Amino acid sequence: MTAVIHPATDQSPQSPASALVCRNCGASYPLGAQHACFECFGPLEIGYDAERLSRVTRESIAAGPHSIWRYAGLLPAGQNAATRVDSGTGMTPLIRADRLADRLGFTAPLWVKDDSANPTHSFKDRVVSVAITAARELGFTRIACASTGNLANSVAAHAARIGMDSIVFIPSDLEAAKITQTAVYGGKLVAIQGSYDDVNRLCSELAETDEFESTAFVNVNVRPYYAEGSKTLGYEVAEQLGWRLPQQVVAPMASGSLLTKVHKAFKELQSIGLVDPLDYRVYGAQSSGCSPIAVAFETGSDTVLPVKPTGIAKSLNIGNPADGPYALDAVRSTGGAMAHVNDDEIRDGIQLLAETTGVFAETAGGVTTAVLKRLIEAGSLDTSRETVIYNTGDGLKTQDAVSDRVGPTAVIAPTLKGMRAAGLL
Amino acid sequence: MTAVIHPATDQSPQSPASALVCRNCGASYPLGAQHACFECFGPLEIGYDAERLSRVTRESIAAGPHSIWRYAGLLPAGQNAATRVDSGTGMTPLIRADRLADRLGFTAPLWVKDDSANPTHSFKDRVVSVAITAARELGFTRIACASTGNLANSVAAHAARIGMDSIVFIPSDLEAAKITQTAVYGGKLVAIQGSYDDVNRLCSELAETDEFESTAFVNVNVRPYYAEGSKTLGYEVAEQLGWRLPQQVVAPMASGSLLTKVHKAFKELQSIGLVDPLDYRVYGAQSSGCSPIAVAFETGSDTVLPVKPTGIAKSLNIGNPADGPYALDAVRSTGGAMAHVNDDEIRDGIQLLAETTGVFAETAGGVTTAVLKRLIEAGSLDTSRETVIYNTGDGLKTQDAVSDRVGPTAVIAPTLKGMRAAGLL
């Protein structure tokens, strides 16, 4: 569990990553802890060597561990099994949701990819596993993040497991469960009197200070590595379907990154021949309390206008989403759509998913389920096409969303008489 | 997902189960929904056909699904993959806990089997998967249980997933999270003004009524099937260690069933030749607020005297533990020991496990971790022997145990000035 430090240029020979590429202007940079283009300030993402990607086969994946690291050949870090951070993240259940499908009128299969099964019960374990592995390879000695809660949980837990220092920044009004779950792991936890966007700005400033020179902010200075972790949500669905793509996917959007990475994963799998080509459609889900990307979609705009977030889906409350334009592009280019739902619909969505699948989702999963329903009603999503929806977090973290709606059927004395009085016998 | 109903006598030809056997007097009965001996009222458990068990190989297991059902050849139900209930339960991470080992002075490897990774985040998904599968095979149309919380979560979730009616009985003073998580799945939930032991008594009465004739109480009338699900906690540890047994295991005790089934699993694996023989030791952990089995161990008694439970480890609060005598026997016959810890030690245990492994356990996991420490201090557990501890549940369900102990390091304005004022820059 000792951190093995490599200089940034000492890439493992098996890594398929070849460069950092600007998503805006296409400028290319050497791999390292850089996240913005020196030319145009656009966001950087990992570029790959096509030949190295194409060495990955279904068989080489199946021979790997039962975690995201089975896809190491398609990820920018962690090719060395001895030094990567494998917390058992990934290969979460893909659940055939026949009862939900019936309720919504599907004639084709409907699936729920349930990422509440990850170690800290959200998809963030994927991006953190990749980011913390890359951070160690790049020589960082402390891990940090700006978070709406789930990322905080995951960064603090991963740091505790490997014994790395951590410092986590959150808005001070987060759900109590997410604060407790982060603090219990024992790293530094800084609550900020402000929104997530304020927290994110502060972290960007801190990343430039001398005091934080050895600190990897997973979603700031090592963001290109971090974001690639979400590709595994695409790879796993394809593998779990027997190496084919679903016709439609619905993903929640905060920064918009997850959705774009599922799209990227599907394109990669097609280009290296692991799945047959398919005209799949990507759909995006937001809460009406924070819907800058979905509103841009509705209004036909290319510009994502920042908003001040409100509403119960706090994990999605990013008012100035970094990947908004790219999410719009992924959805529009595939013929998908976006929608947003209000807090009551989110609560209904949590209950609908729980009652029909046994999956207790956090508010973000309620958003996705409610948006699925909304898209069907609007005629934007086709119930005769095979569909996967992503549940990205756990209902135990946002219990307040439903705790005043659900409860015991009856409270009785421990007797048969009590049962009869309650009409249960 | 349609329930396939078989009469009780129509066992799948591949099932290794051969009879219900009284653990007290050894009387044998045909397989079915019976849980107590007609001769002596002793508890029944599943007996197996040795020849059928011995057909199971490491290879046949590896060829199975990545869930408890890879061990179907060693379980009493679910041999038919098309009709069993596979919720993705099992194959939870076995975590090498080097940092915890260092803290406690281990010179041999220490592992945490983390069952919070199951779908409803406790080991109960194992026993419920087996029980609900058996219940359908036996022709029941409704599923029920008496629960201290985790079982309630799991029964309600499994029922929701397959569309089976459910009715769950709990003490009314359970943790809010466990009540909400059960109610959200939409089945009937009956809160009882009394202790778990009161709830359990009521369920035993109800199981005898005409109105509940078609209802399977997982831990009453189908308990022999149900209890076998815990064997998978033993099988998985052996397989994840590369098909060998650990020298010491520490398990929490409520009814005492889990511990006895891990012991049974280890014995089976040895007898059918899947692992080499080893003189392993079994250790039992209880909370001081409810320690009838551990107190019997301390006092050298064979009799487990019922107690009135108190304390924060509610999931372990069974004052009259059905399998107490068998747990005593498993621990004594292997040269292990038992101990109990108070509420503050339980809280310390939760924090120690979280800080060193990244696993946020519920109070039961705090009990196990604190008892591990206590047993070492008492000289009862050998730190030079390879050891596995079982974390059976999730910290998000019992947040109150630590929420007043942990929290943000600092609460600051979103500025560098705020960071400096807090001494963080």
Side-chain angles (χ1 to χ4, degrees):
Chain A
M1 286 300 191
T2 313
V4 175
I5 309 300
H6 306 279
T9 50
D10 178 21
Q11 288 297 311
S12 165
Q14 290 82 32
S15 173
S18 57
L20 295 172
V21 180
C22 178
R23 290 166 85 176
N24 190 39
C25 73
S28 183
Y29 300 91
L31 291 165
Q34 184 188 344
H35 66 292
C37 178
F38 294 148
E39 300 291 331
C40 74
F41 301 106
L44 302 182
E45 75 170 344
I46 303 288
Y48 293 94
D49 180 294
E51 192 278 321
R52 271 180 273 166
L53 284 184
S54 69
R55 289 179 203 163
V56 174
T57 63
R58 293 179 185 180
E59 292 70 29
S60 70
I61 290 168
H66 197 79
S67 74
I68 61 165
W69 293 114
R70 66 202 285 107
Y71 308 108
L74 305 172
L75 293 170
Q79 284 69 40
N80 184 343
T83 57
R84 68 193 176 206
V85 180
D86 189 346
S87 54
T89 293
M91 293 306 280
T92 55
L94 181 70
I95 298 164
R96 175 78 178 242
D98 287 352
R99 301 186 64 231
L100 179 58
D102 286 348
R103 199 79 79 87
L104 297 175
F106 271 86
T107 54
L110 174 64
W111 304 85
V112 178
K113 178 65 172 169
D114 183 18
D115 247 26
S116 68
N118 280 318
T120 70
H121 306 328
S122 85
F123 88 100
K124 291 293 186 182
D125 290 326
R126 300 176 182 273
V127 286
V128 171
S129 293
V130 175
I132 200 167
T133 296
R136 290 207 305 198
E137 291 179 359
L138 293 166
F140 290 103
T141 56
R142 185 165 68 161
I143 193 97
C145 68
S147 172
T148 58
N150 283 320
L151 181 57
N153 297 161
S154 185
V155 164
H158 277 82
R161 180 167 300 187
I162 66 170
M164 193 174 193
D165 283 344
S166 69
I167 181 165
V168 162
F169 296 84
I170 55 170
S172 57
D173 69 344
L174 276 196
E175 296 93 344
K178 289 179 178 169
I179 295 177
T180 297
Q181 196 190 343
T182 306
V184 76
Y185 301 117
K188 280 203 177 72
L189 172 62
V190 184
I192 302 291
Q193 292 157 326
S195 67
Y196 170 79
D197 299 285
D198 294 326
V199 176
N200 196 34
R201 260 191 305 272
L202 176 63
C203 287
S204 295
E205 285 180 53
L206 287 171
E208 303 297 322
T209 64
D210 291 346
E211 291 90 338
F212 282 78
E213 194 182 24
S214 300
T215 300
F217 284 86
V218 298
N219 52 347
V220 182
N221 52 0
V222 295
R223 186 174 178 87
Y225 293 86
Y226 160 91
E228 294 295 286
S230 289
K231 291 196 305 181
T232 59
L233 276 166
Y235 302 145
E236 286 181 19
V237 162
E239 183 176 1
Q240 290 171 321
L241 287 175
W243 288 114
R244 58 185 177 76
L245 300 182
Q247 293 174 293
Q248 303 177 137
V249 293
V250 187
M253 299 184 295
S255 72
S257 175
L258 185 157
L259 181 149
T260 66
K261 295 300 178 178
V262 169
H263 181 44
K264 185 177 184 183
F266 286 178
K267 285 188 295 182
E268 281 178 0
L269 292 179
Q270 292 180 101
S271 73
I272 60 179
L274 289 184
V275 297
D276 288 336
L278 183 81
D279 283 332
Y280 62 87
R281 295 175 189 159
V282 178
Y283 294 83
Q286 290 203 299
S287 143
S288 299
C290 182
S291 53
I293 315 175
V295 166
F297 179 84
E298 278 176 355
T299 57
S301 170
D302 288 336
T303 308
V304 176
L305 295 174
V307 299
K308 191 170 162 50
T310 61
I312 61 171
K314 294 188 182 184
S315 68
L316 302 182
N317 279 355
I318 299 184
N320 189 11
D323 292 270
Y326 308 103
L328 280 171
D329 189 52
V331 168
R332 286 177 173 146
S333 67
T334 61
M338 292 185 185
H340 54 91
V341 288
N342 67 33
D343 286 358
D344 274 343
E345 289 172 287
I346 295 168
R347 293 186 177 96
D348 290 344
I350 292 173
Q351 287 185 257
L352 176 62
L353 187 68
E355 289 170 8
T356 56
T357 68
V359 172
F360 182 25
E362 71 160 35
T363 45
V367 168
T368 305
T369 306
V371 161
L372 171 68
K373 187 162 176 279
R374 172 71 72 88
L375 290 167
I376 293 167
E377 287 162 1
S380 314
L381 187 138
D382 187 344
T383 51
S384 70
R385 293 165 65 96
E386 184 170 43
T387 302
V388 173
I389 67 173
Y390 285 97
N391 174 44
T392 52
D394 200 294
L396 285 171
K397 298 191 190 188
T398 61
Q399 298 164 44
D400 288 350
V402 292
S403 59
D404 58 350
R405 285 186 157 212
V406 302
T409 315
V411 181
I412 66 166
T415 59
L416 295 182
K417 194 176 162 191
M419 286 289 289
R420 284 193 204 98
L424 292 164
L425 195 65
Chain B
M1 287 299 191
T2 313
V4 175
I5 310 299
H6 305 281
T9 51
D10 178 22
Q11 289 296 313
S12 166
Q14 290 81 33
S15 172
S18 58
L20 294 171
V21 181
C22 178
R23 291 164 85 174
N24 190 39
C25 74
S28 183
Y29 300 90
L31 291 165
Q34 183 189 345
H35 64 293
C37 178
F38 295 147
E39 300 292 332
C40 74
F41 303 108
L44 301 182
E45 75 170 344
I46 303 288
Y48 294 93
D49 180 294
E51 191 278 321
R52 272 180 272 166
L53 284 184
S54 69
R55 291 179 202 160
V56 175
T57 63
R58 293 179 185 180
E59 293 68 30
S60 70
I61 290 168
H66 197 80
S67 74
I68 60 164
W69 292 114
R70 66 202 284 110
Y71 308 108
L74 305 173
L75 293 171
Q79 283 68 42
N80 183 343
T83 56
R84 68 192 175 206
V85 180
D86 189 347
S87 55
T89 293
M91 293 306 279
T92 54
L94 182 70
I95 298 163
R96 174 79 178 238
D98 288 353
R99 300 186 64 233
L100 180 59
D102 287 349
R103 199 79 79 87
L104 297 176
F106 271 86
T107 55
L110 174 64
W111 305 85
V112 178
K113 177 65 172 170
D114 183 18
D115 247 27
S116 68
N118 280 319
T120 70
H121 305 329
S122 84
F123 87 100
K124 291 293 186 182
D125 290 326
R126 299 176 183 273
V127 284
V128 171
S129 293
V130 175
I132 200 167
T133 295
R136 290 207 305 198
E137 291 179 0
L138 293 166
F140 290 103
T141 57
R142 184 165 67 160
I143 192 97
C145 68
S147 173
T148 57
N150 283 320
L151 181 57
N153 299 161
S154 184
V155 164
H158 278 82
R161 180 167 302 187
I162 66 170
M164 194 175 193
D165 282 344
S166 67
I167 181 164
V168 163
F169 297 84
I170 54 170
S172 58
D173 70 344
L174 275 196
E175 295 94 343
K178 288 179 179 168
I179 295 177
T180 298
Q181 194 189 345
T182 305
V184 76
Y185 302 117
K188 280 204 177 72
L189 172 62
V190 184
I192 302 292
Q193 292 157 327
S195 67
Y196 170 79
D197 299 285
D198 294 326
V199 175
N200 196 34
R201 259 191 305 273
L202 177 63
C203 288
S204 295
E205 286 180 54
L206 287 171
E208 303 298 321
T209 64
D210 290 347
E211 290 89 339
F212 282 79
E213 194 182 25
S214 300
T215 300
F217 284 86
V218 298
N219 50 346
V220 182
N221 52 0
V222 294
R223 186 174 179 87
Y225 294 87
Y226 159 91
E228 294 295 286
S230 289
K231 291 195 304 180
T232 59
L233 276 167
Y235 302 145
E236 287 181 19
V237 162
E239 183 177 0
Q240 290 171 320
L241 287 176
W243 289 115
R244 59 184 176 76
L245 300 181
Q247 294 174 292
Q248 303 177 137
V249 292
V250 187
M253 298 184 295
S255 72
S257 176
L258 184 158
L259 181 150
T260 66
K261 294 301 178 178
V262 169
H263 181 44
K264 185 178 184 183
F266 286 178
K267 285 188 296 183
E268 282 178 0
L269 292 179
Q270 292 179 102
S271 74
I272 60 180
L274 290 183
V275 297
D276 288 336
L278 183 81
D279 283 331
Y280 62 86
R281 295 175 188 158
V282 177
Y283 294 84
Q286 289 204 298
S287 142
S288 299
C290 182
S291 53
I293 315 175
V295 165
F297 179 84
E298 278 176 353
T299 57
S301 170
D302 288 336
T303 307
V304 176
L305 295 174
V307 300
K308 191 169 160 52
T310 61
I312 61 172
K314 295 189 182 182
S315 68
L316 302 182
N317 279 356
I318 300 183
N320 190 11
D323 293 271
Y326 309 103
L328 280 171
D329 189 52
V331 168
R332 286 178 174 145
S333 69
T334 61
M338 292 186 184
H340 54 92
V341 288
N342 67 33
D343 285 359
D344 275 342
E345 290 173 288
I346 295 168
R347 293 186 178 97
D348 291 343
I350 292 172
Q351 288 186 257
L352 176 61
L353 188 67
E355 290 172 7
T356 56
T357 68
V359 173
F360 182 24
E362 71 160 32
T363 44
V367 168
T368 305
T369 307
V371 162
L372 171 68
K373 187 161 175 281
R374 173 69 73 87
L375 290 167
I376 293 167
E377 289 163 358
S380 314
L381 187 138
D382 186 344
T383 51
S384 70
R385 292 166 65 96
E386 184 170 43
T387 301
V388 172
I389 67 172
Y390 285 98
N391 174 44
T392 52
D394 200 296
L396 286 170
K397 299 192 190 187
T398 61
Q399 297 164 44
D400 288 350
V402 292
S403 59
D404 58 350
R405 284 185 157 212
V406 303
T409 314
V411 182
I412 66 166
T415 58
L416 296 181
K417 194 175 162 193
M419 286 289 288
R420 283 191 205 100
L424 292 164
L425 196 65

